[in-house]
Amino acid sequence: MTTDHPVIPHFIDGARTTAPEPRTSDVFDPSTGRVQARVALASEDEVRAAVDSAERAFGTWSALNPQRRARILLRWVDLINEHADELARTLSKEHGKTFPDAKGDIQRGVEVVEFAAGAPHLLKGEFSSDAGTGIDVHSLRQPLGVVAGITPFNFPAMIPLWKAGIALAAGNTFVLKPSERDPSVPVRLAELALEAGMPAGTLNVVHGDKSAVDALIDDPRVQAVGFVGSTPIAQSIYEHAARRGKRAQCFGGAKNHAVILPDADLEMAADALVGAAFGSAGERCMAISVAVPVGEETADRLVALLRERIQALTVGPSLEESSDFGPVVSAQARARIEELIQVGVDEGAELVVDGRGVQVPDHEDGFYVGATLFDRVTPGMRIHREEIFGPVLCVVRAKDYEEALALPSEHEFGNGVAVFTRDGDAARDFATRVDVGMVGVNVPIPVPIAYYTFGGWKASGFGDLNQHGPDGFRFYTKTKTVTTRWPSGVREGASFVMPAGS
Ligand code: NAD
């Protein structure tokens, strides 16, 4: 740990914290490999202060009618857009994704806040008149109270905005625990929310590690926990929250396949695969990490097209325009990716392009891994089973359609999948039968737009409601049902029979 760098503070009760921080963690610039700042790691007291503040703000914020909350959210969107270049530069320098990709990270988050501004419509309940004689029934959607979000390093703007945008629109107050690896953008987003008119304490940010997360989950005032990150942590947070009797939705890792049928436009598929496998250095939960060409001829042609494209890619500093993708987030991430590449070689996969040991001039200490392509990977291999979360694409050759369909369906993860074909019937069959949560047809990264829901299946998601879209509102509200009868002068006397619809 270094001491001569600025400390990125928490944002509690409408202000950046200023108290000295005994525990901090280094924040790197992955393009240079150097420490650029330190981030505070919250103590239990600081987590409690954030929840106290959110609890105090809840009365005011939840009492605003949904349309007034929506107006503040739309002002927040305007401010985020005005500051998009500044936010994207900061994001790119801490995460390592390129500047245009960082803008995309912000934009996909903003789209969910825009959707959330439709809260007046989305919070409407149902009404049934004359459910019994003179009896009406209606339902209300009410906020939960203080809710928490714990988010990963790979989308430091988008995922906090997905969670906070909908939770806040629904009238909750929010405590965000973003990744300690790229913590600056979440703090700026909270500052802009305050500037947009959100009362102090409505959106708080605490940085930290496991102890901050445990303190949040253990606080009885926190009503719900939304998590996104790796599968082991997602599962343990889901179990922890459930033991505390809380609502939880926890999204985990992925191993997304793209199936390429023999009739596909192979040039289009190869372009799509290269973008989806190597964009953001493969550090996307919807990255394609396995290509499944059907038939040997399709496979030979596809591998040739991929090799050509991969050899033309440039990995370089995140803020340099010539870079197709930047470094991975940390030295540990690079070491793990390179180790798994060696595992692939040792297990007998054919290493077509090796991205290890790539040198970027004047950035020799940056955390770079070049684009890597494996052919003839088989399902038992670790590089097919495990999420690598780096710029590594594995080709698993399938002999026929059924074998190709089985590969993503039988995989432990079930986040996203794509099929490339010109055959509508085959695409329809694939989308219906594949055991995966999000499907793209000739679309390599099928991240659903804001007004649909996002969520993977199997080990990619724990909990039964997805993120954003209508499910987001269901997760962040509780339903109350009111049955009403007004005195009408008719007296029936006491009844001891269970009231029924007949
Ligand atoms: P991570 O699991 O290491 O960290 C996620 C969050 O959990 C961070 O805020 C981190 O500080 C916190 N955390 C880490 N260890 C913890 C512990 N022991 N106890 C409590 N909290 C802990 O994930 P990451 O490396 O930041 O992100 C990459 C992972 O996230 C990948 O596996 C990727 O697939 C996944 N991801 C999934 C989705 C999705 O929607 N399914 C989206 C984005 C990323």
Side-chain angles (χ1 to χ4, degrees), residues 133-485:
T133 309
I135 292 180
D136 301 329
V137 180
H138 72 278
S139 62
L140 307 171
R141 287 201 167 276
Q142 297 188 320
L144 304 175
V146 179
V147 297
I150 299 147
T151 53
F153 83 85
N154 68 325
F155 281 102
M158 180 181 88
I159 296 179
L161 288 169
W162 282 8
K163 299 209 167 296
I166 293 193
L168 295 169
N172 304 282
T173 52
F174 202 83
V175 180
L176 172 68
K177 208 304 287 169
S179 171
E180 64 280 21
R181 282 180 263 178
D182 41 17
S184 293
V185 167
V187 173
R188 277 298 283 143
L189 291 173
E191 247 166 11
L192 294 174
L194 187 79
E195 200 179 321
M198 258 177 231
T202 307
L203 174 55
N204 303 277
V205 180
V206 285
H207 307 291
D209 49 16
K210 184 175 185 322
S211 62
V213 172
D214 287 346
L216 260 180
I217 300 173
D218 287 337
D219 192 312
R221 295 167 297 170
V222 173
Q223 302 295 320
V225 179
F227 172 89
V228 179
S230 56
T231 287
I233 312 287
Q235 185 161 6
S236 80
I237 287 183
Y238 186 71
E239 289 167 2
H240 185 171
R243 275 197 306 279
R244 295 276 177 273
K246 311 200 165 180
R247 207 175 265 211
Q249 54 172 201
C250 299
F251 297 94
K255 194 80 181 174
N256 306 315
H257 293 59
V259 169
I260 299 96
L261 299 186
D263 71 327
D265 178 335
L266 282 193
E267 299 269 347
M268 174 193 174
D271 285 338
L273 288 178
V274 167
F278 305 115
S280 197
E283 291 172 324
R284 293 183 183 137
C285 66
M286 291 293 274
I288 292 292
S289 49
V290 185
V292 185
V294 174
E296 288 298 314
E297 196 198 327
T298 314
D300 290 343
R301 284 171 53 216
L302 183 74
V303 169
L305 291 172
L306 288 173
R307 183 207 306 255
E308 207 175 86
R309 282 162 174 74
I310 290 170
Q311 282 167 341
L313 291 178
T314 304
V315 54
S318 64
L319 286 169
E320 239 159 66
E321 265 179 45
S322 56
S323 304
D324 291 306
F325 64 92
V328 297
V329 72
S330 64
Q332 292 83 343
R334 180 185 53 194
R336 180 170 182 276
I337 295 161
E338 293 193 341
E339 184 199 318
L340 277 165
I341 294 173
Q342 188 55 44
V343 167
V345 173
D346 295 344
E347 286 181 321
E350 185 186 318
L351 186 55
V352 181
V353 184
D354 185 355
R356 289 174 296 180
V358 69
Q359 286 296 317
V360 174
D362 302 325
H363 291 77
E364 285 74 13
D365 295 328
F367 309 137
Y368 298 98
V369 183
T372 297
L373 179 66
F374 274 111
D375 192 6
R376 299 183 192 282
V377 174
T378 56
M381 292 180 182
R382 262 183 76 193
I383 55 170
H384 180 251
R385 290 198 319 267
E386 290 183 23
E387 180 179 45
I388 300 175
F389 221 55
V392 180
L393 179 62
C394 297
V395 174
V396 179
R397 295 173 174 233
K399 68 175 183 315
D400 57 27
Y401 173 74
E402 289 299 327
E403 191 177 294
L405 175 68
L407 281 165
S409 297
E410 290 171 4
H411 202 280
E412 179 195 359
F413 295 112
N415 213 39
V417 70
V419 63
F420 287 86
T421 178
R422 290 186 167 97
D423 181 338
D425 197 33
R428 189 170 183 279
D429 183 79
F430 184 87
T432 308
R433 289 171 60 205
V434 72
D435 193 11
V436 173
M438 292 172 280
V439 183
V441 176
N442 298 312
V443 172
I445 306 184
V447 176
I449 41 175
Y451 38 101
Y452 282 76
T453 67
F454 179 108
W457 290 2
K458 300 182 279 184
S460 297
F462 302 88
D464 59 353
L465 288 170
N466 282 351
Q467 310 190 80
H468 67 65
D471 264 13
F473 277 92
R474 290 184 195 111
F475 181 73
Y476 286 116
T477 54
K478 51 193 175 191
T479 306
K480 184 178 278 175
T481 311
V482 183
T483 304
T484 306
R485 176 165 61 184

